[in-house]
mmCIF file with all atom_site columns, all heavy atoms in Angstrom:
data_model
loop_
_atom_site.group_PDB
_atom_site.id
_atom_site.type_symbol
_atom_site.label_atom_id
_atom_site.label_alt_id
_atom_site.label_comp_id
_atom_site.label_asym_id
_atom_site.label_entity_id
_atom_site.label_seq_id
_atom_site.pdbx_PDB_ins_code
_atom_site.Cartn_x
_atom_site.Cartn_y
_atom_site.Cartn_z
_atom_site.occupancy
_atom_site.B_iso_or_equiv
_atom_site.pdbx_formal_charge
_atom_site.auth_seq_id
_atom_site.auth_comp_id
_atom_site.auth_asym_id
_atom_site.auth_atom_id
_atom_site.pdbx_PDB_model_num
ATOM   1  N N   . ASP A 1 8   ? 211.625 -54.635 -48.928 1.00 98.00 ? 8   ASP A N   1
ATOM   2  C CA  . ASP A 1 8   ? 212.379 -54.805 -50.167 1.00 98.00 ? 8   ASP A CA  1
ATOM   3  C C   . ASP A 1 8   ? 211.406 -55.332 -51.221 1.00 98.00 ? 8   ASP A C   1
ATOM   4  O O   . ASP A 1 8   ? 210.177 -55.361 -50.996 1.00 98.00 ? 8   ASP A O   1
ATOM   5  C CB  . ASP A 1 8   ? 213.609 -55.699 -49.966 1.00 98.00 ? 8   ASP A CB  1
ATOM   6  C CG  . ASP A 1 8   ? 213.264 -57.163 -49.728 1.00 98.00 ? 8   ASP A CG  1
ATOM   7  O OD1 . ASP A 1 8   ? 212.064 -57.502 -49.636 1.00 98.00 ? 8   ASP A OD1 1
ATOM   8  O OD2 . ASP A 1 8   ? 214.209 -57.982 -49.636 1.00 98.00 ? 8   ASP A OD2 1
ATOM   9  N N   . ALA A 1 10  ? 210.892 -58.324 -52.202 1.00 98.00 ? 10  ALA A N   1
ATOM   10 C CA  . ALA A 1 10  ? 210.213 -59.561 -51.792 1.00 98.00 ? 10  ALA A CA  1
ATOM   11 C C   . ALA A 1 10  ? 209.108 -59.293 -50.797 1.00 98.00 ? 10  ALA A C   1
ATOM   12 O O   . ALA A 1 10  ? 208.231 -60.140 -50.590 1.00 98.00 ? 10  ALA A O   1
ATOM   13 C CB  . ALA A 1 10  ? 211.230 -60.537 -51.228 1.00 98.00 ? 10  ALA A CB  1
ATOM   14 N N   . CYS A 1 65  ? 210.598 -58.195 -45.601 1.00 98.00 ? 65  CYS A N   1
ATOM   15 C CA  . CYS A 1 65  ? 211.446 -58.705 -46.682 1.00 98.00 ? 65  CYS A CA  1
ATOM   16 C C   . CYS A 1 65  ? 210.937 -60.107 -47.028 1.00 98.00 ? 65  CYS A C   1
ATOM   17 O O   . CYS A 1 65  ? 209.781 -60.417 -46.717 1.00 98.00 ? 65  CYS A O   1
ATOM   18 C CB  . CYS A 1 65  ? 212.921 -58.662 -46.310 1.00 98.00 ? 65  CYS A CB  1
ATOM   19 S SG  . CYS A 1 65  ? 213.405 -59.653 -44.886 1.00 98.00 ? 65  CYS A SG  1
ATOM   20 N N   . GLY A 1 66  ? 211.746 -60.913 -47.667 1.00 98.00 ? 66  GLY A N   1
ATOM   21 C CA  . GLY A 1 66  ? 211.249 -62.221 -48.074 1.00 98.00 ? 66  GLY A CA  1
ATOM   22 C C   . GLY A 1 66  ? 210.909 -63.113 -46.886 1.00 98.00 ? 66  GLY A C   1
ATOM   23 O O   . GLY A 1 66  ? 209.832 -63.695 -46.800 1.00 98.00 ? 66  GLY A O   1
ATOM   24 N N   . THR A 1 67  ? 211.854 -63.180 -45.943 1.00 98.00 ? 67  THR A N   1
ATOM   25 C CA  . THR A 1 67  ? 211.661 -64.010 -44.756 1.00 98.00 ? 67  THR A CA  1
ATOM   26 C C   . THR A 1 67  ? 211.422 -63.202 -43.488 1.00 98.00 ? 67  THR A C   1
ATOM   27 O O   . THR A 1 67  ? 210.984 -63.777 -42.486 1.00 98.00 ? 67  THR A O   1
ATOM   28 C CB  . THR A 1 67  ? 212.940 -64.847 -44.500 1.00 98.00 ? 67  THR A CB  1
ATOM   29 O OG1 . THR A 1 67  ? 214.033 -63.922 -44.370 1.00 98.00 ? 67  THR A OG1 1
ATOM   30 C CG2 . THR A 1 67  ? 213.196 -65.838 -45.621 1.00 98.00 ? 67  THR A CG2 1
ATOM   31 N N   . GLY A 1 70  ? 216.417 -60.746 -42.757 1.00 98.00 ? 70  GLY A N   1
ATOM   32 C CA  . GLY A 1 70  ? 217.363 -59.667 -43.078 1.00 98.00 ? 70  GLY A CA  1
ATOM   33 C C   . GLY A 1 70  ? 216.930 -58.364 -42.434 1.00 98.00 ? 70  GLY A C   1
ATOM   34 O O   . GLY A 1 70  ? 217.738 -57.637 -41.851 1.00 98.00 ? 70  GLY A O   1
ATOM   35 N N   . ARG A 1 109 ? 207.316 -63.804 -48.052 1.00 98.00 ? 109 ARG A N   1
ATOM   36 C CA  . ARG A 1 109 ? 207.243 -65.146 -48.641 1.00 98.00 ? 109 ARG A CA  1
ATOM   37 C C   . ARG A 1 109 ? 206.841 -66.182 -47.604 1.00 98.00 ? 109 ARG A C   1
ATOM   38 O O   . ARG A 1 109 ? 206.854 -67.372 -47.879 1.00 98.00 ? 109 ARG A O   1
ATOM   39 C CB  . ARG A 1 109 ? 208.608 -65.527 -49.235 1.00 98.00 ? 109 ARG A CB  1
ATOM   40 C CG  . ARG A 1 109 ? 209.013 -64.647 -50.409 1.00 98.00 ? 109 ARG A CG  1
ATOM   41 C CD  . ARG A 1 109 ? 210.449 -64.923 -50.833 1.00 98.00 ? 109 ARG A CD  1
ATOM   42 N NE  . ARG A 1 109 ? 210.821 -64.103 -51.998 1.00 98.00 ? 109 ARG A NE  1
ATOM   43 C CZ  . ARG A 1 109 ? 212.081 -63.809 -52.332 1.00 98.00 ? 109 ARG A CZ  1
ATOM   44 N NH1 . ARG A 1 109 ? 213.082 -64.257 -51.600 1.00 98.00 ? 109 ARG A NH1 1
ATOM   45 N NH2 . ARG A 1 109 ? 212.330 -63.089 -53.403 1.00 98.00 ? 109 ARG A NH2 1
HETATM 46 C C1  . LIG B 2 .   ? 215.616 -61.341 -51.202 1.00 97.80 ? 201 LIG B C1  1
HETATM 47 O O1  . LIG B 2 .   ? 215.693 -62.389 -52.121 1.00 97.80 ? 201 LIG B O1  1
HETATM 48 C C2  . LIG B 2 .   ? 215.732 -61.907 -49.780 1.00 97.80 ? 201 LIG B C2  1
HETATM 49 O O2  . LIG B 2 .   ? 217.012 -62.337 -49.540 1.00 97.80 ? 201 LIG B O2  1
HETATM 50 C C3  . LIG B 2 .   ? 215.301 -60.862 -48.764 1.00 97.80 ? 201 LIG B C3  1
HETATM 51 O O3  . LIG B 2 .   ? 214.022 -60.428 -49.069 1.00 97.80 ? 201 LIG B O3  1
HETATM 52 C C4  . LIG B 2 .   ? 215.251 -61.305 -47.313 1.00 97.80 ? 201 LIG B C4  1
HETATM 53 O O4  . LIG B 2 .   ? 214.471 -62.453 -47.180 1.00 97.80 ? 201 LIG B O4  1
HETATM 54 C C5  . LIG B 2 .   ? 216.507 -61.381 -46.612 1.00 97.80 ? 201 LIG B C5  1
HETATM 55 O O5  . LIG B 2 .   ? 216.586 -61.767 -45.418 1.00 97.80 ? 201 LIG B O5  1
#
Side-chain angles (χ1 to χ4, degrees):
D8 70 356
C65 61
T67 57
R109 295 172 178 158

